[in-house]
Amino acid sequence: MKKYLSFLLIVLVNLPVYSLDSTDAILAQLDNALKNKERYVQLKEERILNFKKIKSDNLTKEQEYNFNKTLYTEYLKFNSDSAIHYVKKNLKLADELQNKDLKDLANLELVTLYSSSGKYRESEAILKAINKNQLSKELLPEYYEAYREFYEHYVANSYDPKYIKQIAMYRDSLLTVLNPETLKYKINVIQRNIHHKQFGIAQKKLMRLLGTANQDDTQYAMIGYLLGSIYETTHQLELRKKYYALSALSDIKHSIKDNASLQELALVFYEIGDVDMAYRLTQSAIADALFCNVQFRTLQMSEVYSIINTAYLEREAKRKMQLQMYLLCISILTAFLIVAVIYVYKQMKKVSRIRGELFITSQKLAELNKDITETNSQLQERNAQLSESNHIKEEYIAHFFNLCSTYINKLENYRIILNKKATAKQFDEIYKILKSTTLVDNELEELYKNFDIIFLNLYPTFVKDFNALLITEEQIVLKQGELLNTELRIFALIRLGITDSVKIAAFLRYSLSTIYNYRTRARNKAAVSRNDFEEMVMKIGLITLKI
């Protein structure tokens, strides 16, 4: 099952996002990708781990260099610290091989990694130590690109028009040594067009590339980003949002942590007033930058974050005011509920008094009129039925009073606490109380306890029958006083017909991956066929259960 799910996610990753013409459809895909962001990271980490496992102990130093270079490529825009680690290993191998080209290549790779991590002095020192005239022809593109990216990263930290000129100069030099048929060449030409404000020409070229470029190419997200930047300059908000979203979607699905599209898209949503989405995108972008250790992205995000965070806090303040209004309404409703309970209680006393009067009357009628014995007997039967009905009512009312009393007390205590804090203007304390999950956690614990009791009343042998489906050494032993544990609750829900992991995760308040892992681990421990395990769980109690 795990293999099938992994395959499905990989297929989804490789679906051509450029086929989505609707901005709403792209944003829906982006929202889904943000929710599954950790899964995409997990897939990438699994792919890297599987690649590492195939390494042989008999590799030559040249083969080991290529092996490390592949890992560097995987980590380049994912985790810069790991990428630096493998480049440094290649520097050592190049020294051992006494191969200048391999050493120059590793140094050029290290330049970009250092500059993106904020190590500008180290990066510049490496560049100055490299003699361009002694570089092989094949390394000139890497040399010019390393210089261009060095200045791009430095500009993010210390803006100066002269650095912009350096970027343009090294881009021009790069174009002289790149193959004009490559995507990298075309992207650099378009960037030059944008630098010279030739937006119409750049836009047409990018649209052609978007229709023909391979989504798996590392430059694919750049196409969407450049289109978004053009539409930002030309003040076309909807198109700007669409193509930044398209670029961000590609970055997330390929676990590209060194990205700019999420930041730009956050600003778009901030401009249109969707502060919640802007804050969510900003948080995701900051998390990516910190994960990848890309300092210049973090610097870029700092200004954006302060703006959006301020707006978000203002929105939260308004929501807090609304919450206070809701608490006031709850207090009013509680008062109405108390009045209703008092009214019901008085009515019950009135009914009880009437019943007593009827009983006395019937007794007097029996003494005064023996001729109507049959009628009196019927009255006594009716009275007995009324008593029985009253007994049933008392039972239900007892449950009703208990439930009402419990929640009234909880609501009243909660209202009193909040009222005291509000009176004392302890708004921070109110926020802490509202933010606390203790009340919810206690209610959840009670919910799960009631669920366990009710479920075991229905299927008293469930734990024993479930263990019978597992191999002996993997059978579950419950702790003292424990009715069911998390694993048993998951399969209890499955026994009740709730097989959707999303619904199970929502009920038990676990992540989807945690539920998936529990189910997979249980199938692996099964004494029966893994494919038939959950089906056999759903048959527990079919014969012995008595309703």
Side-chain angles (χ1 to χ4, degrees):
M1 187 68 178
K2 184 177 180 181
K3 292 181 178 178
Y4 293 136
L5 288 174
S6 297
F7 174 76
L8 179 60
L9 280 170
I10 290 169
V11 170
L12 288 173
V13 166
N14 289 285
L15 285 175
V17 293
Y18 55 78
S19 64
L20 299 171
D21 295 325
S22 166
T23 303
D24 291 338
I26 296 173
L27 290 173
Q29 286 277 341
L30 178 62
D31 184 67
N32 186 59
L34 286 168
K35 293 176 182 177
N36 293 287
K37 189 176 179 181
E38 293 304 317
R39 182 56 182 159
Y40 294 126
V41 172
Q42 184 181 351
L43 284 174
K44 185 175 182 69
E45 289 175 339
E46 287 176 359
R47 184 173 71 248
I48 293 172
L49 182 61
N50 290 333
F51 180 75
K52 289 179 179 178
K53 288 179 180 178
I54 67 173
K55 183 178 180 181
S56 170
D57 294 333
N58 299 322
L59 292 179
T60 64
K61 290 183 178 180
E62 289 85 353
Q63 290 172 330
E64 187 174 355
Y65 185 98
N66 291 329
F67 184 86
N68 291 338
K69 190 175 187 326
T70 301
L71 286 172
Y72 152 78
T73 304
E74 287 289 337
Y75 281 118
L76 179 58
K77 291 185 178 295
F78 181 65
N79 188 318
S80 63
D81 290 338
S82 296
I84 290 170
H85 170 73
Y86 286 103
V87 171
K88 286 184 175 180
K89 289 181 72 173
N90 274 353
L91 279 172
K92 184 177 179 182
L93 286 170
D95 285 334
E96 292 174 1
L97 291 167
Q98 296 183 348
N99 188 319
K100 182 178 181 302
D101 286 347
L102 293 181
K103 184 175 182 179
D104 287 340
L105 176 59
N107 273 320
L108 289 171
E109 291 169 346
L110 197 58
V111 165
T112 301
L113 292 169
Y114 274 167
S115 62
S116 67
S117 302
K119 299 178 180 179
Y120 302 114
R121 290 186 178 180
E122 293 89 338
S123 184
E124 186 178 22
I126 295 172
L127 284 171
K128 289 182 177 179
I130 297 174
N131 189 337
K132 184 183 73 172
N133 297 324
Q134 294 179 1
L135 280 176
S136 65
K137 184 179 180 181
E138 290 75 15
L139 291 180
L140 284 175
E142 282 75 13
Y143 176 79
Y144 291 130
E145 188 170 13
Y147 252 114
R148 188 204 66 191
E149 292 190 359
F150 167 77
Y151 282 111
E152 286 176 348
H153 297 160
Y154 197 79
V155 163
N157 182 58
S158 178
Y159 182 82
D160 193 314
K162 69 180 181 181
Y163 298 139
I164 302 297
K165 292 179 181 179
Q166 291 290 333
I167 294 171
M169 183 185 75
Y170 280 106
R171 182 190 300 116
D172 291 341
S173 299
L174 178 60
L175 288 171
T176 63
V177 295
L178 284 176
N179 182 350
E181 299 301 319
T182 62
L183 182 59
K184 182 180 289 188
Y185 177 87
K186 296 174 183 177
I187 290 291
N188 277 277
V189 169
I190 291 169
Q191 288 177 314
R192 184 172 62 185
N193 293 144
I194 294 173
H195 176 71
H196 293 297
K197 303 187 183 305
Q198 298 170 341
F199 300 121
I201 297 172
Q203 187 263 347
K204 289 179 181 178
K205 290 179 180 179
L206 286 168
M207 292 304 294
R208 283 197 298 269
L209 286 180
L210 191 66
T212 59
N214 185 349
Q215 184 192 357
D216 292 326
D217 196 291
T218 55
Q219 298 287 340
Y220 181 82
M222 176 62 78
I223 297 172
Y225 177 80
L226 291 175
L227 277 167
S229 66
I230 290 173
Y231 293 126
E232 179 179 359
T233 305
T234 55
H235 308 292
Q236 300 182 65
L237 184 63
E238 281 303 311
L239 289 173
R240 172 187 168 195
K241 178 168 65 173
K242 174 179 179 178
Y243 288 102
Y244 278 144
L246 189 67
S247 176
L249 177 58
S250 178
D251 282 335
I252 292 172
K253 286 189 172 184
H254 291 91
S255 295
I256 303 299
K257 298 295 184 180
D258 179 6
N259 62 72
S261 302
L262 280 174
Q263 171 188 335
E264 297 298 336
L265 190 60
L267 286 171
V268 174
F269 278 100
Y270 173 74
E271 288 180 19
I272 63 178
D274 191 344
V275 178
D276 289 337
M277 187 62 175
Y279 183 78
R280 182 184 174 195
L281 292 170
T282 305
Q283 292 291 93
S284 181
I286 291 175
D288 284 349
L290 294 174
F291 182 94
C292 190
N293 191 24
V294 187
Q295 188 180 35
F296 84 99
R297 293 285 184 215
T298 307
L299 289 170
Q300 288 177 332
M301 285 304 302
S302 60
E303 294 183 7
V304 176
Y305 179 75
S306 62
I307 295 170
I308 294 176
N309 187 54
T310 300
Y312 183 78
L313 291 176
E314 290 176 355
R315 177 71 61 84
E316 287 301 300
K318 291 180 181 178
R319 288 177 178 170
K320 188 185 292 184
M321 290 293 294
Q322 291 176 345
L323 183 58
Q324 291 175 348
M325 291 298 298
Y326 294 152
L327 288 173
L328 178 62
C329 292
I330 289 172
S331 300
I332 295 171
L333 289 174
T334 301
F336 277 119
L337 182 59
I338 293 171
V339 172
V341 170
I342 294 172
Y343 175 78
V344 170
Y345 176 73
K346 288 183 176 180
Q347 289 297 105
M348 289 301 302
K349 285 187 67 176
K350 185 177 179 181
V351 169
S352 179
R353 186 177 66 255
I354 292 171
R355 188 181 69 247
E357 291 173 354
L358 286 174
F359 179 78
I360 293 171
T361 302
S362 66
Q363 288 291 84
K364 288 181 179 181
L365 287 173
E367 293 176 0
L368 295 174
N369 194 359
K370 295 180 180 180
D371 296 335
I372 57 171
T373 303
E374 184 177 354
T375 304
N376 187 57
S377 178
Q378 292 176 355
L379 287 173
Q380 288 178 351
E381 285 183 18
R382 297 292 183 271
N383 191 58
Q385 291 174 358
L386 183 61
S387 297
E388 182 180 358
S389 175
N390 186 60
H391 177 70
I392 294 172
K393 289 179 181 178
E394 288 175 352
E395 289 292 324
Y396 277 99
I397 288 169
H399 286 292
F400 174 74
F401 278 170
N402 183 51
L403 183 62
C404 288
S405 177
T406 300
Y407 280 97
I408 288 170
N409 289 337
K410 288 181 179 180
L411 288 171
E412 182 61 14
N413 290 337
Y414 199 62
R415 185 191 67 79
I416 289 171
I417 292 171
L418 292 178
N419 186 51
K420 287 181 178 179
K421 299 292 183 182
T423 302
K425 296 185 179 181
Q426 297 175 342
F427 297 117
D428 289 340
E429 292 294 322
I430 294 175
Y431 179 73
K432 289 180 182 178
I433 292 172
L434 295 175
K435 188 176 180 182
S436 173
T437 61
T438 303
L439 180 62
V440 176
D441 291 341
N442 292 338
E443 292 299 324
L444 281 173
E445 183 179 355
E446 185 67 20
L447 171 65
Y448 293 148
K449 182 178 178 181
N450 290 332
F451 172 81
D452 295 348
I453 293 170
I454 295 169
F455 181 82
L456 290 176
N457 283 337
L458 291 173
Y459 305 100
T461 63
F462 178 80
V463 177
K464 177 183 175 182
D465 294 342
F466 183 83
N467 275 331
L469 297 176
L470 303 177
I471 58 179
T472 306
E473 57 270 25
E474 294 292 346
Q475 291 184 352
I476 297 172
V477 178
L478 293 170
K479 298 177 182 178
Q480 181 80 20
E482 193 176 41
L483 298 177
L484 296 174
N485 59 16
T486 300
E487 184 174 4
L488 286 171
R489 285 195 193 105
I490 291 171
F491 286 92
L493 289 168
I494 291 173
R495 176 61 190 87
L496 293 174
I498 304 172
T499 59
D500 187 349
S501 293
V502 175
K503 294 181 180 178
I504 295 173
F507 177 73
L508 296 180
R509 301 176 83 90
Y510 284 108
S511 68
L512 184 58
S513 61
T514 300
I515 300 301
Y516 177 82
N517 289 336
Y518 268 114
R519 294 178 73 169
T520 302
R521 189 159 56 242
R523 286 196 296 271
N524 291 336
K525 298 188 296 184
V528 297
S529 170
R530 292 179 76 256
N531 294 331
D532 298 332
F533 176 73
E534 290 192 359
E535 184 177 349
M536 295 185 73
V537 170
M538 295 185 73
K539 292 181 179 179
I540 290 176
L542 282 179
I543 297 174
T544 59
L545 179 63
K546 294 181 180 179
I547 300 176

